[in-house]
Amino acid sequence: MNEDDQSDRRKYEFKKVIEELTEYTGSGTQLVSIYVPPDRQISDIVAHVTQEHSEASNIKSKQTRTAVQDALTSIKDRLRYYDNPPENGMVLFSGAINTGGGQTDMVTRVLEKPPEPIQSFIYHCDSAFLTEPLAEMLGEKGLYGLIVLDRREANVGWLKGKRVEPVKSASSLVPGKQRKGGQSAQRFHRLRLEAIDNFYQEVAEMANDLFVPDRHDMDGVLVGGPSPTKDEFLDGEYLHHELQDLVLGKFDVSYTDESGLSDLVDAAGEALAETEVMKDKSQMNEFFKELHQGDLATYGFEPTRQNLVMGAVDRLLVSEDLREDVVTYICPNEHEEREIIDQRKNTPDHDCSECDAVVSSEDGEREDIIEHLISIAEQRGTETKFISTDFEEGEQLMNAFGGVGGILRYSTGI
Ligand SMILES: [Zn+2]
């Protein structure tokens, strides 16, 4: 079992819960969301919730007041199970959701171990649950090196998912454009260029030290600053050649302090989004190449599943939009068959195709199709790739191939 699969699976499970929570609405501001960072004391959180509970007694509408207090009580009950927040913290949701016809239903969900650490404590009370911070975490992939510089100052750091991490900075001794009296203009100019060159070398060294060890895991390098500094820096090829190859682009950024790193990420937004899609695209291009010219492509639920079970799948490709369940039926004569059904539909009875025995819906074992496939993939050391439908080939995976495909390690003829 490798870590990628683990985190893919966890992310998928999170995504499903978030989708569910996003659909809920409450009347008034009675849906409570609490984000707990890993370093917060549970006792602090309990104190905060107790405080909110007593303040809620001021809410005028009796219905909202009761609903908020019930939600807070339910959260407090859940917090009792914890001495400390789990790794990466936790998120608690509770409230009375509308179920139609003026009816409500009390819902409480605790999400442990989010894919990224919760950064700050949030207490949120609204007509909807606050899911955006979690959704942002799930959208985040990728590791990028960041460099901002002008002739006086430089900062390098990481973009990990959506989080900017400043790491090192340097400042230069490049003299201003104004020369002192008694210095020849030529000599002054030469010294200044030398100082600039030295500074670029220093910045490159700082970036090389930080990025080169991780270059194989990086998705790109972004360089920002005013013109012509960033251009001189890149054109002069000061960076290690492998980093130079990873440069996705240069971007205009006014500040070169730590805040400049965040400005750089904002400025590069479009380029970054494209890179994410490009990663999915290259998987799908490989898939289509094998489909048309090779024999290492598999698609559709059953063939892909069979190949997975054999351990023949190198990469499992699943569409991010796939929302189906798989029901496994075993008839009285031990024939095992599976049926794919819409997640919103009830489990049907099943006629065995081998012996016509009927298996009742209660005897079918129902599971989310993606979880079903990932759990086989995990046992076989197969990597899972989620493919977005934001580009043509990704849409085809969903619509033409049932949302499931794979690239094989060897041809199986299935
Ligand atoms: Zn049968």
Side-chain angles (χ1 to χ4, degrees):
M1 209 186 287
N2 71 44
E3 253 176 42
D4 260 8
D5 284 338
Q6 280 269 42
S7 75
D8 268 347
R9 185 178 193 173
R10 211 163 65 185
K11 280 186 181 181
Y12 176 67
E13 287 164 357
F14 261 84
K15 203 174 160 185
K16 275 210 325 189
V17 179
I18 291 169
E19 277 177 6
E20 181 201 338
L21 290 168
T22 311
E23 281 172 20
Y24 295 148
T25 55
S27 345
T29 55
Q30 56 186 31
L31 301 189
V32 179
S33 313
I34 301 181
Y35 283 68
V36 181
D39 55 357
R40 272 303 262 271
Q41 302 278 332
I42 290 291
S43 56
D44 279 1
I45 309 296
V46 172
H48 192 106
V49 172
T50 308
Q51 173 79 11
E52 293 288 347
H53 190 281
S54 84
E55 276 172 24
S57 59
N58 298 323
I59 297 172
K60 286 199 182 75
S61 146
K62 179 172 186 277
Q63 192 266 336
T64 308
R65 180 172 66 237
T66 314
V68 170
Q69 291 190 325
D70 285 354
L72 291 169
T73 303
S74 174
I75 285 175
K76 247 168 81 172
D77 285 347
R78 294 300 186 99
L79 285 169
R80 253 183 229 146
Y81 295 103
Y82 298 88
D83 294 325
N84 295 296
E87 185 193 341
N88 285 357
M90 66 203 283
V91 192
L92 302 108
F93 300 94
S94 186
I97 58 158
N98 296 324
T99 51
Q103 299 294 304
T104 61
D105 200 2
M106 189 72 183
V107 161
T108 302
R109 295 270 185 281
V110 182
L111 291 190
E112 290 186 355
K113 300 185 183 176
E116 297 276 322
I118 304 284
Q119 297 291 313
S120 49
F121 174 77
I122 301 173
Y123 177 86
H124 184 90
C125 215
D126 205 348
S127 57
F129 288 120
L130 178 73
T131 53
E132 285 81 3
L134 280 175
E136 258 179 38
M137 269 178 209
L138 293 175
E140 58 184 49
K141 304 168 200 161
L143 177 69
Y144 298 88
L146 306 176
I147 305 171
V148 287
L149 79 163
D150 57 19
R151 287 168 175 172
R152 307 222 139 255
E153 181 186 36
N155 266 275
V156 296
W158 291 110
L159 173 63
K160 292 179 175 171
K162 293 217 156 58
R163 210 170 62 240
V164 173
E165 275 183 26
V167 180
K168 279 197 269 186
S169 65
S171 49
S172 81
L173 299 168
V174 176
K177 283 181 183 161
Q178 209 57 45
R179 75 188 147 103
K180 292 182 192 106
Q183 228 173 357
S184 88
Q186 227 180 352
R187 182 175 148 76
F188 175 78
H189 185 64
R190 187 170 50 82
L191 286 176
R192 190 161 181 276
L193 287 184
E194 252 178 49
I196 291 172
D197 180 64
N198 284 339
F199 183 57
Y200 288 166
Q201 283 184 35
E202 187 188 337
V203 175
E205 251 169 59
M206 187 165 77
N208 292 344
D209 286 350
L210 182 61
F211 302 144
V212 167
D214 287 313
R215 65 194 183 282
H216 298 301
D217 297 319
M218 288 168 65
D219 298 297
V221 173
L222 304 172
V223 181
S227 294
T229 320
K230 61 179 180 309
D231 313 271
E232 285 174 356
F233 180 70
L234 284 174
D235 295 345
E237 303 199 343
Y238 289 90
L239 284 173
H240 185 282
H241 68 276
E242 285 186 63
L243 294 181
Q244 192 87 22
D245 290 343
L246 281 172
V247 173
L248 293 177
K250 51 187 180 184
F251 303 90
D252 281 319
V253 171
S254 322
Y255 296 99
T256 52
D257 57 4
E258 284 189 8
S259 75
L261 294 174
S262 300
D263 293 348
L264 172 60
V265 172
D266 291 341
E270 212 167 292
L272 289 173
E274 253 170 55
T275 313
E276 289 304 331
V277 171
M278 283 312 292
K279 279 195 266 176
D280 286 2
K281 232 183 188 152
S282 75
Q283 296 290 341
M284 286 311 295
N285 286 344
E286 196 179 333
F287 172 81
F288 278 110
K289 203 176 147 222
E290 286 300 332
L291 190 66
H292 297 308
Q293 294 161 28
D295 52 6
L296 297 180
T298 182
Y299 60 88
F301 174 75
E302 268 306 330
T304 306
R305 186 184 181 281
Q306 282 182 44
N307 279 311
L308 263 181
V309 170
M310 290 173 68
V313 181
D314 181 52
R315 267 155 295 152
L316 172 67
L317 308 173
V318 286
S319 176
E320 281 184 352
D321 287 2
L322 187 60
R323 291 292 172 273
E324 281 172 324
D325 284 340
V326 55
V327 192
T328 307
Y329 298 93
I330 299 170
C331 88
N333 298 317
E334 306 276 310
H335 301 126
E336 185 179 306
E337 286 179 336
R338 275 166 296 276
E339 227 173 276
I340 308 293
I341 61 166
D342 193 297
Q343 286 189 333
R344 285 159 298 191
K345 296 206 172 116
N346 294 326
T347 313
D349 290 341
H350 178 85
D351 293 330
C352 177
S353 66
E354 303 270 329
C355 68
D356 288 334
V358 178
V359 191
S360 94
S361 60
E362 289 103 70
D363 293 329
E365 198 191 308
R366 187 166 178 158
E367 203 182 352
D368 179 289
I369 188 170
I370 296 182
E371 281 174 18
H372 178 89
L373 292 171
I374 292 182
S375 62
I376 304 172
E378 277 176 352
Q379 292 162 13
R380 302 291 188 269
T382 299
E383 222 181 310
T384 303
K385 301 277 182 197
F386 283 89
I387 307 293
S388 89
T389 47
D390 296 342
F391 62 107
E392 201 191 325
E393 294 86 347
E395 226 174 275
Q396 282 180 327
L397 177 68
M398 183 62 211
N399 297 325
F401 299 99
V404 180
I407 296 166
L408 301 177
R409 295 180 172 131
Y410 51 89
S411 171
T412 60
I414 295 169

